[in-house]
Amino acid sequence: MNGHVKSMHFQRFMETATTLLSLLLVMAFDSSRTVAASRNQQCGDYVQKSLKLSRLLQKESVDLIKTYKASQGEMSELFCKVSVNNVPDPNISGLEPSEKIASIYTHLQEFFPHFEWVYEQQTDLQLPTSPLLSDLRRFTAGSRNLAYLIKPFYQSLFPNVPLPEGGPTTLPPPQNIFQQKVYGCVVLKTFKELLSNVSRELRSLKSQVCRRRTHTNTLF
Amino acid sequence: MVSAGELLLLAGLVLAAAATGDPPGKPENVFCVAVQEKTTISSTFRCDWATVGRQTSDVPTKYTLNVVVIHIRNYSVSTEGTHAQVEFVDTYPHFMTLEIWVEAHNMLGKIESERITQDANSFVKTNPPSDIKVISEKYFPTSPLMNWTQPINKSYGKLKYEIRFCTSGSPNWTYVPKGDIATDIQSFRLQSLQPYTEYITQVRCQLGHWSDWSGTTMKTAEDRPTSKPDLWRTIAEVDGKNERRVQFISKDPVFANGRIITFDIKIQEQKNDNLQWDTILVNGSESSDGQRVITVLKDMLLADLRPVRLCVTANNSVGTSPMASLFISAKGREDPPVKGLKVWSAEGKLWLQWTPPNGPDLSEYVVEWVSGEQTDWQRENKNTRLTAIKGNLEGFVRYTVSVYSIYSGRIGKPASKEAYLKEGAPLEGPVVRLNDKPGRNEAELGWVEIPLHRQRGFIVNYTINYTGGGETHEVTVPGNTVSYTLKSLSSNTKYDTWINASTVRGSAQSSTHSFTTLKYAPGEVESIVVGVSLGFMFVVLMTMLLCLYKKDVIKENVWPRIPNPGESTIGNWSPDYPLKAETPKENCLSGISVQDVDVCDGKSVFEEDKACLPLKKDKYLSEEHSSGIGGSSCMSSPRQSVSDSDEGSDMADTTASTVQYSSVVASNGYKGQTPNPHPQQAVFSRSESTQPLLDSEENPDMMIQESSRQSQGFKQENPAEIHLLEMDQQQEEEGVESLGFCPLDEESEQTKPSEGQSAASSYMSQREGYRPQ
């Protein structure tokens, strides 16, 4: 067999290989696009649901604060204006989306013990049929649902990065009634602020995280 | 050895074999809902499903509702029914994904329904929108603005809405296109509604499931009328004049778009008339049953040969309608009518069908229906051939239905028919009466037609029933009859009669009318009386004529001239014939013997003298004779006057004739005395009365000769003489009979010859008439 023939075979082999490779690449690209599309949709759904729920909770927090104030008697307007220690920070921290999402989740989780603490206090202060108590329960449950939505959202985006659960919660020391009333109002008001921050972050994350992943997948 | 497990398995198999049932069927149509509670969504989540397959008590099926809140929690609840509900913890899982399925299981198996995986909000049913208001603005009468309050905060989700509306009383809804309604709104402007119209508007919302409808009723604002008034007319003839009473009437325009306040009219009778508009105020009432109110615009008298045009516009609070006009042609110059008009009732409506006329410029038809004083109409397109009356018609009322062809505003000749929407039996029968007095065998019955408003249908026929004399009869006559003559009735019989008036739906009976036929036909009694009277009058007349014709005879017989002794003088008169002795009759008057001088003398003889006649027979053959008393009377009316004179009533009456009435026989024979056998020369004395003399007295010789001839004749020819006498007697009898006198008996007739002999001779002279003395 001469070299000419050998080179021809090689060329043919190369052509075939190239063709196959291209085909594989196209298939890979297409599958990635499909996966990306589904991931994108899922990403968007999470963000969307989280956004809607946070807005709902924001609205309910406004109503809840009104109900709380109405249930505390005189000088209730002043309660929310007092600064109280040991109330969780409502600000979202982090630069990266993963950090922000994790911050959202951990901050939400931090408020749940305080909600329970306020509920217990109000149980002593209010009648069993007081609408404040049912509203507090509903609001707390809704807030937990928001956290339950953030978690799979984060995990869908960052499956390999564990979501931090947050540190131990520091509840205030025993308080008198006035302090309890103030404390409860401050907790609700702070959480409302958190919800506002969460909504803002989620809106920006939607464009950042869900679109960027699509772009990344496309490049890949 | 059998193990316990094998025993259990065997037992299960035995039980399964013993149980009668089927494996559970797959639950289908799983429907779940969470309803609104106050301002939030209830945490109670209810699901319903349908069972499939046979359910038996031996193998009961249990259902388990499974609800999974993804990433959060699982819920399940079991039931043997077809619905179940779970309670979410503290709050409805808004914006969370739910996975729902129903599991059915029984001893024979287990099966799941289709799994539903949806957002939790898709199962939410909110309350309907509240506080709905619809505002119709003056400048947008066809586009009212609808406002409402959404039932739930929009933070729970964006609500979709659906809006619909319909006119009050109409079952047909008009839906606003869904694409025209945005989400999360609380107001919407409706479009293309009719002005001044009442609408029902409704709205519902949707978060997951559609809510119930909620709505309100509203009326749109007025707008200018956008269609012409519906102008029409009624025409009535005026008796005795070449004029018509024309009344122009109008209904509000179909699209009045408000309450019509006034009509403006203009009447044009001459071609170049340029009249002003007159304003007619409209009665403020509005129709309540959907029928438009009819307003009388103008009432006028119009000459038959003159046409007229009326123009009208309608005004409401916003503006004026387009103008309508109507032209009424001169009488006899109308355009041709439609042909072949048929009217019938079907399906609760009155239907009309016709064939179009041949005239050009046909623009439309007007269908008119009139009942009494009420007129209504509707307009039909020029292509219409079949239609039904849309107005409210009443049953049992007669309508005159007409179709008019309209030629560019000119009204053509109508084609009319009468019809009922629904017919029934008349409410009352006709009023029966007799047209005239009943006759002997017939009577003319008449009846007054039932008033139109009580007929309730077309009278098809009348059935006349009459009973009398133990018989009942029935006669049927057409419905357009108002009288009938009953014939072949029994006379002097009471009849009861009644009439049934019938329509196609039934009949009504009149009251009973009684009458009695006459015993005699009218005029029968009169004819009898007249006949009898005429006969009597005829008899009287004939008698009078006879009397006139025979007055002399009658006079002589009835009123014989009796010489007035006061005017008589004694005179001597001696005839030349021997006298014969006569045996005076006892019954005769002294010195005077009666002598019959008539042909029928035998009859004129007094009855008292009849006994003497046999005696006198002989006596008369002698020269002596005597004149009879009352001879004239015997002549005149011996038949009657004999009897009369027997009574002696009229003997003294004398006539103006101067018939010799008596002669005095100079005899010495007194009654009962024996006559002198030796006759002496008779010297007669007679009274010089104006009575004419008998021939025998004047010519005694002639009398003797004649008497002797006669006696010879009699002797020789007795049978002949008798026959002659009989003939005479027959003549007399005939004469008597003709006058109606009674005939004499035979005896007197037999004696007649002798008497008649001499009497005939003397009578004959007398017959010759008056002999002056």
Side-chain angles (χ1 to χ4, degrees), chain B residues 63-104:
Chain B
Y63 299 91
T64 302
L65 172 65
N66 298 286
V67 179
V68 175
V69 183
I70 305 295
H71 305 306
I72 299 178
R73 195 171 299 196
N74 293 356
Y75 300 87
S76 67
V77 63
S78 294
T79 179
E80 291 187 2
T82 58
H83 63 89
Q85 60 190 37
V86 299
E87 291 289 334
F88 293 120
V89 176
D90 296 328
T91 187
Y92 188 78
H94 290 285
F95 308 112
M96 310 302 286
T97 302
L98 302 181
E99 187 178 6
I100 304 156
W101 72 96
V102 176
E103 200 176 85

Side-chain angles (χ1 to χ4, degrees), chain A residues 46 49 52-53 56 59-60 137-138 141-142 145 148-149 152, chain B residues 40 71-72 89-91 93-97 119 153 155-156:
Chain A
Y46 279 125
K49 286 175 189 291
K52 287 179 181 178
L53 187 54
L56 176 60
K59 179 260 179 189
E60 286 187 351
R137 284 200 303 272
R138 187 172 60 249
N145 288 344
Y148 295 147
L149 269 178
Chain B
T40 60
H71 305 306
I72 299 178
V89 176
D90 296 328
T91 187
H94 290 285
F95 308 112
M96 310 302 286
T97 302
D119 190 285
N153 192 279
S155 57
Y156 289 93

Side-chain angles (χ1 to χ4, degrees), chain B residues 367-438:
Chain B
V367 175
E368 177 193 73
W369 57 99
V370 179
S371 166
E373 295 293 323
Q374 294 184 344
T375 301
D376 204 347
W377 68 97
Q378 66 189 45
R379 293 182 184 271
E380 297 291 341
N381 185 272
K382 66 178 179 180
N383 298 319
T384 304
R385 304 286 178 265
L386 171 70
T387 188
I389 290 179
K390 298 177 181 65
N392 292 333
L393 299 179
E394 297 176 34
F396 314 121
V397 172
R398 184 177 298 191
Y399 291 94
T400 302
V401 180
S402 306
V403 177
Y404 293 81
S405 313
I406 308 298
Y407 300 84
S408 303
R410 300 192 314 276
I411 305 174
K413 247 185 174 180
S416 301
K417 281 270 170 72
E418 289 191 327
Y420 282 86
L421 176 65
K422 189 177 168 186
E423 289 192 63
L427 292 176
E428 62 188 41
V431 177
V432 182
R433 65 177 194 285
L434 283 179
N435 280 349
D436 201 353
K437 289 182 180 177

